[in-house]
Amino acid sequence: MLQSIVAQLAAVLPGYATVARAADVLRLAPRSVRDLIYSGRLPSSRVGRLHYVRASDLEAERRRRLGAPLPRRTPRPVRPRTSATPERPIKRPHVDPALRRQRAAERAEVVMRWAERHAPSNPLVPFSPVITVDRVTCASCGRAIHPNQRALEARESGDRLCLTCGRRALMQWADRRRLEAAAARRLAQDLGAGAETRVA
């Protein structure tokens, strides 16, 4: 239904031709016209399964096949590019050097504040993972830690712990930190409540 409507419109609209009409103008078979379209030599507009050729493209192809000169296209006017030359340098607004330095310092300060605000917070853990080179013993349980095995090393004392004792020590340290944080939070809340009662 849609293709029949489009075909009727193309038949009455000026400027477009069907494949059959293009075949009559070029004195070719419709299959040859489709080959020209598929090869890209003849531009067309496709609606569904039907191709429609613009009259100007059809005339250009007809002239090309006859060996006649193609119609000349009017070139588009080229705008000259403005570039800096010794005779005509580009004028830039004058900026006071002191003002420029002040703005640079302000931008640097903003960047520093942003970096401090978004700095990664890595709390210092008392143990660090290492890979043993020599055979050592665990400082907690006395178990042997063979070379090329993972262990935990205390930052302050330098003692080596096996993974089992190291995990236990890390959990105990985390529990102590949690209790300290809870105590500090309670103290801060008590101080805030005392200040509110004094103000009231």
Side-chain angles (χ1 to χ4, degrees):
M1 182 66 181
L2 178 61
Q3 292 181 355
S4 62
I5 295 175
V6 173
Q8 293 175 4
L9 290 175
V12 297
L13 286 177
Y16 286 91
T18 60
V19 173
R21 175 61 181 163
D24 292 339
V25 172
L26 298 177
R27 298 183 182 275
L28 295 173
R31 179 64 183 173
S32 301
V33 175
R34 291 191 184 92
D35 291 340
L36 291 175
I37 292 174
Y38 295 150
S39 63
R41 287 183 54 185
L42 186 60
S44 67
S45 300
R46 183 172 179 177
V47 179
R49 298 177 61 184
L50 303 178
H51 292 271
Y52 299 95
V53 183
R54 192 177 301 174
S56 58
D57 297 332
L58 185 60
E59 178 64 19
E61 180 62 26
R62 188 184 70 84
R63 285 174 174 267
R64 189 181 297 111
R65 297 183 69 83
L66 293 176
L70 298 177
R72 292 185 178 181
R73 295 183 178 179
T74 56
R76 297 175 58 184
V78 179
R79 297 178 58 184
R81 294 184 178 180
T82 58
S83 58
T85 59
E87 296 81 11
R88 189 181 59 183
I90 296 178
K91 294 182 179 180
R92 292 185 174 88
H94 177 70
V95 180
D96 187 16
L99 180 61
R100 184 176 296 174
R101 287 193 295 270
Q102 179 183 356
R103 290 177 179 174
E106 291 174 357
R107 287 195 296 269
E109 185 180 357
V110 170
V111 170
M112 289 297 295
R113 284 202 303 266
W114 183 91
E116 292 175 358
R117 190 166 57 249
H118 294 82
S121 58
N122 294 325
L124 186 61
V125 181
F127 300 97
S128 60
V130 294
I131 297 179
T132 58
V133 179
D134 300 328
R135 185 177 183 276
V136 294
T137 57
C138 177
S140 178
C141 65
R143 186 180 303 167
I145 304 174
H146 298 283
N148 297 328
Q149 284 188 346
R150 297 179 63 189
L152 290 179
E153 182 179 8
R155 294 183 183 274
E156 295 181 357
S157 61
D159 295 335
R160 300 288 178 91
L161 299 177
C162 63
L163 293 182
T164 304
C165 297
R167 282 195 292 266
R168 188 180 299 115
L170 280 174
M171 294 301 295
Q172 292 175 358
W173 175 81
D175 291 340
R176 287 196 301 270
R177 291 291 299 270
R178 181 174 55 83
L179 295 175
E180 292 173 0
R185 194 173 293 110
R186 284 196 301 270
L187 179 59
Q189 291 175 356
D190 294 341
L191 292 175
E196 291 176 359
T197 54
R198 283 198 299 271
V199 170

